[in-house]
Amino acid sequence: MSAPDTPDDTTSNQTPRVAVLGTGLMGSAIARSLLNNDYPVSVWNRTPGRCDPLRELGARTVTTSTEAIRDNDVIILMVLDYTAARTLLMDAADHLQGKTIANLVTGSAAEAEDLSAWVSGQGADYLDGIIAAYPGDIGKPSTLFYYAGNVAAWSRYKTLLTALAGAATYVGSKPSAANILDAAMTATFHTVSIGAFLEGMSYARSAGVDLSEIKRTLPYWLDLLSQEINVALDSIQADSHTTDQATLETYLVALRTINKAMVGDGERANLLGAAVDNLERAHAAGHGQEALSAQILTAKANT
């Protein structure tokens, strides 16, 4: 991933007109936050009735997505996927010149790069973003969005974009950078971590362990996890995985035993099993006496 460009903090003095295309739970939350910050907002949804609550709050409802794109400066896409997003933009291709497209749809890195190139070819600025939050978090100072793409668009509309997420961050001109972080953090880290936690809770509950004890000690484990992740990041950046603490082999021996016990007690333990497989691969490659972070050296499919 390329290093982020350094954006200016310049913003336009003229209040931009904003269209939100897609008013599901998240799109509606975004539109409400914009209205609360006194932005003129137009909303569109394939099911028009979903826009009614926003009209009552002051949003302008439009009958077609092309009308919404034509009449506004910033277009926020909150539709199902990149295919739907591209279709809406292609329908309004004659009106894209000079617009800024903020695409907050989940997709792949390749889709982000492809759509950015097409939008830029129509004379519009493109920002690809990911939402690291729930609808109830929109508008809060601590809420995180990642944005990537046209640095001038980020600088021009930073005030607007941080009204949606106070901790919004620009991560570089490479359009796919935000999408890659979505895969790395939202999907791989956040969601899989919760899944692994739930695997463990299934085992503990089935064994009759009082889960209130888990809750009591949870701050310790979260703090330990944060420490371990920071150590791993330092090791990855230094390209050195030496340790004077627990080795990868130590983890592997323990996890083999635990995985066997959980499966023997009727748990599927899929994520734990995957963790054991990753450790086995790294161990077989000669990294057994290195730190747990050495798994990254065998994470690629061809290693």
Side-chain angles (χ1 to χ4, degrees):
M1 190 182 301
S2 61
D5 294 341
T6 302
D8 297 328
D9 286 329
T10 56
T11 55
S12 172
N13 291 325
Q14 183 177 355
T15 302
R17 299 164 300 171
V18 189
V20 179
L21 306 187
T23 56
L25 293 175
M26 186 62 77
S28 293
I30 285 172
R32 285 194 298 271
S33 183
L34 291 167
L35 290 166
N36 289 339
N37 283 276
D38 298 322
Y39 285 98
V41 178
S42 297
V43 292
W44 172 88
N45 197 80
R46 290 191 185 278
T47 305
R50 291 188 176 179
C51 294
D52 291 346
L54 296 168
R55 184 178 64 234
E56 294 174 2
L57 295 176
R60 171 185 174 230
T61 58
V62 295
T63 56
T64 68
S65 58
T66 297
E67 180 184 358
I69 293 170
R70 181 195 67 199
D71 295 345
N72 291 279
D73 305 304
V74 179
I75 317 303
I76 298 177
L77 298 174
M78 285 301 307
V79 291
L80 179 63
D81 53 26
Y82 273 75
T83 299
R86 180 185 279 270
T87 298
L88 297 181
L89 294 174
M90 290 182 69
D91 288 345
D94 292 342
H95 304 290
L96 290 178
Q97 179 76 35
K99 308 293 184 181
T100 292
I101 309 301
N103 181 27
L104 302 181
V105 175
T106 298
S108 69
E111 286 176 314
E113 295 286 342
D114 185 55
L115 187 57
S116 174
W118 184 86
V119 168
S120 298
Q122 311 308 307
D125 292 337
Y126 182 84
L127 286 170
D128 202 86
I130 70 106
I131 301 170
Y134 292 106
D137 299 319
I138 300 304
K140 294 181 180 179
S142 60
T143 297
L144 176 65
F145 285 18
Y146 287 123
Y147 288 99
N150 188 286
V151 66
W154 165 256
S155 296
R156 188 181 311 119
Y157 295 120
K158 182 177 179 181
T159 299
L160 184 158
L161 298 172
T162 52
L164 303 178
T169 301
Y170 179 79
V171 295
S173 59
K174 183 178 177 62
S176 59
N179 232 299
I180 291 167
L181 283 169
D182 191 25
M185 297 305 296
T186 309
T188 307
F189 175 62
H190 177 75
T191 307
V192 175
S193 294
I194 291 175
F197 173 78
L198 294 174
E199 276 191 1
M201 293 309 95
S202 174
Y203 181 55
R205 186 176 65 172
S206 297
V209 173
D210 184 356
L211 297 190
S212 62
E213 182 62 21
I214 302 291
K215 184 175 289 188
R216 187 183 69 80
T217 59
L218 185 58
Y220 169 84
W221 291 107
L222 293 175
D223 182 60
L224 181 61
L225 180 62
S226 178
Q227 293 177 43
E228 293 287 346
I229 288 171
N230 277 291
V231 169
L233 284 171
D234 290 342
S235 297
I236 294 165
Q237 290 177 313
D239 195 24
S240 173
H241 301 279
T242 59
T243 183
D244 59 0
Q245 303 297 312
T247 64
L248 186 148
E249 184 176 70
T250 300
Y251 276 98
L252 175 57
V253 171
L255 263 64
R256 281 173 179 159
T257 301
I258 294 169
N259 186 56
K260 183 178 180 179
M262 288 179 65
V263 171
D265 284 346
E267 301 292 331
R268 287 189 292 116
N270 287 345
L271 294 175
L272 179 58
V276 172
D277 287 345
N278 288 338
L279 291 170
E280 296 279 14
R281 181 179 294 273
H283 188 269
H287 302 296
Q289 298 309 305
E290 296 180 79
L292 198 59
S293 58
Q295 291 175 92
I296 197 169
L297 302 174
T298 53
K300 293 288 188 182
N302 60 352
T303 57

